[in-house]
Amino acid sequence: MSHLLASYNNTLSSILGWVSIACWIVVYSPQIHENYSLQSGEGLSLIFVYVWLLGDITNMTGAILAGLLPTVIILGVYYTLCDLILLFQVYYYRWKATKYQVSESVEETPLLIDTNAQNKREVSSTKGIAIRYAGALSFVMITGVLAWWISSNITLPEKPQKHRSSSITWVIQVLGWTSAICYLGSRIPQIIKNFSTRCEGLAPALFFFSILGNATYSLSICVKSMEKEYLITNGSWLAGSALTIFLDLAVLSQFSYYRYLAFKRVQPGSTIENTS
């Protein structure tokens, strides 16, 4: 009975892990597309992206030292490249705006967005948004399950377990906790920036998929085993994923609040002033 339960837990953990990977593959796409559409990356806090980049680099380095699967390391490289793309967009569109004098004051009014157009975007059909998110959610779920099914039907030769020195083990743990702290700390400057930008130029799907990816990843760890030693070993990755969910929820609550204000502004007889 215990053997069957362990097998079930391993299968469920693997499925959740693959769903998490599917989420993280698409998580950057909405923001990259948002920046391209607006020809501006000023909705992002640069500190947020830089600290996130540091977290991805330390996470990738830890994966390499731990000798994790090549797919995990490749994903780490992919995350790092996506961070660099976001940074490139911010600086490129700033340079472009300055060169062509699109804005007279990029520093004071960083978002080159028409207010009326933005209001229309904010109050767009809730039903349409729900359909898009449901479709995206279905996509990552199906992709994750399909990836698990393919991987479970591929037999790879087992590599002998390599003995790691205590110093390497400690380095991996330090990198893991550094990555967790970076992931947590990166959200704070973005939350602060949102109070001034009212979340303009920021793609909510970035944080939606981040929440889903972190939730499924955390569950994949806990479902596999709740033994004390196992949880301590994976503590940094578990903390970095689980605690970040709450900060991402704070960002999504900001989106909801400013969307509500935008909706009230376009209502007849509204007394809410546009203070953006």
Side-chain angles (χ1 to χ4, degrees):
M1 185 66 180
S2 59
H3 176 72
L4 288 175
L5 182 60
S7 178
Y8 171 78
N9 287 345
N10 287 336
T11 299
L12 182 56
S13 174
S14 181
I15 292 174
L16 289 168
W18 279 108
V19 171
S20 176
I21 289 174
C23 290
W24 285 111
I25 287 176
V26 302
V27 72
Y28 294 92
S29 304
Q31 188 60 53
I32 292 173
H33 179 265
E34 182 82 2
N35 293 345
Y36 175 77
S37 299
L38 299 175
Q39 294 290 289
S40 171
E42 299 298 334
L44 289 168
S45 163
L46 279 175
I47 299 177
F48 164 58
V49 183
Y50 274 120
V51 177
W52 200 355
L53 172 62
L54 179 60
D56 284 334
I57 291 174
T58 53
N59 187 42
M60 177 180 62
T61 306
I64 293 172
L65 291 177
L68 299 184
L69 292 173
T71 49
V72 176
I73 298 173
I74 291 171
L75 282 171
V77 175
Y78 169 75
Y79 301 153
T80 303
L81 289 175
C82 287
D83 293 332
L84 293 174
I85 289 173
L86 290 176
L87 288 173
F88 171 79
Q89 285 184 310
V90 173
Y91 288 114
Y92 172 73
Y93 291 131
R94 281 185 180 181
W95 170 80
K96 186 177 179 181
T98 302
K99 180 179 180 181
Y100 294 101
Q101 298 181 346
V102 177
S103 172
E104 295 180 357
S105 180
V106 176
E107 294 296 328
E108 295 181 5
T109 315
L111 292 177
L112 310 178
I113 306 171
D114 179 74
T115 303
N116 292 330
Q118 181 64 26
N119 285 341
K120 291 179 181 179
R121 284 160 54 87
E122 290 174 345
V123 298
S124 60
S125 171
T126 302
K127 182 179 179 180
I129 293 175
I131 292 174
R132 288 200 298 271
Y133 275 75
L137 181 60
S138 299
F139 171 78
V140 296
M141 289 293 184
I142 293 172
T143 301
V145 173
L146 183 61
W148 162 79
W149 182 81
I150 293 173
S151 66
S152 64
N153 284 278
I154 296 176
T155 304
L156 296 176
E158 293 187 6
K159 293 183 178 180
Q161 189 75 19
K162 292 183 179 180
H163 175 72
R164 283 198 298 264
S165 63
S166 58
S167 59
I168 293 296
T169 301
W170 274 105
V171 169
I172 293 172
Q173 284 296 316
V174 169
L175 288 171
W177 281 107
T178 301
S179 175
I181 293 171
C182 288
Y183 288 147
L184 286 169
S186 65
R187 267 59 173 183
I188 296 174
Q190 185 61 59
I191 291 172
I192 295 173
K193 184 180 180 70
N194 291 343
F195 285 113
S196 59
T197 63
R198 304 170 70 90
C199 295
E200 294 179 0
L202 203 60
L206 169 68
F207 299 92
F208 174 80
F209 284 112
S210 176
I211 290 172
L212 186 59
N214 281 320
T216 50
Y217 182 72
S218 299
L219 287 173
S220 72
I221 293 176
C222 295
V223 166
K224 188 176 181 64
S225 175
M226 290 296 290
E227 294 181 2
K228 183 179 178 180
E229 184 178 350
Y230 174 78
L231 292 178
I232 291 176
T233 301
N234 292 277
S236 59
W237 288 274
L238 185 58
S241 297
L243 297 179
T244 302
I245 292 173
F246 295 100
L247 295 177
D248 285 340
L249 285 172
V251 176
L252 288 184
S253 69
Q254 289 180 305
F255 272 105
S256 299
Y257 174 69
Y258 290 121
R259 183 179 175 80
Y260 167 76
L261 291 184
F263 177 77
K264 296 295 289 185
R265 281 200 301 271
V266 299
Q267 295 302 302
S270 173
T271 57
I272 297 180
E273 296 182 359
N274 189 349
T275 58
S276 58

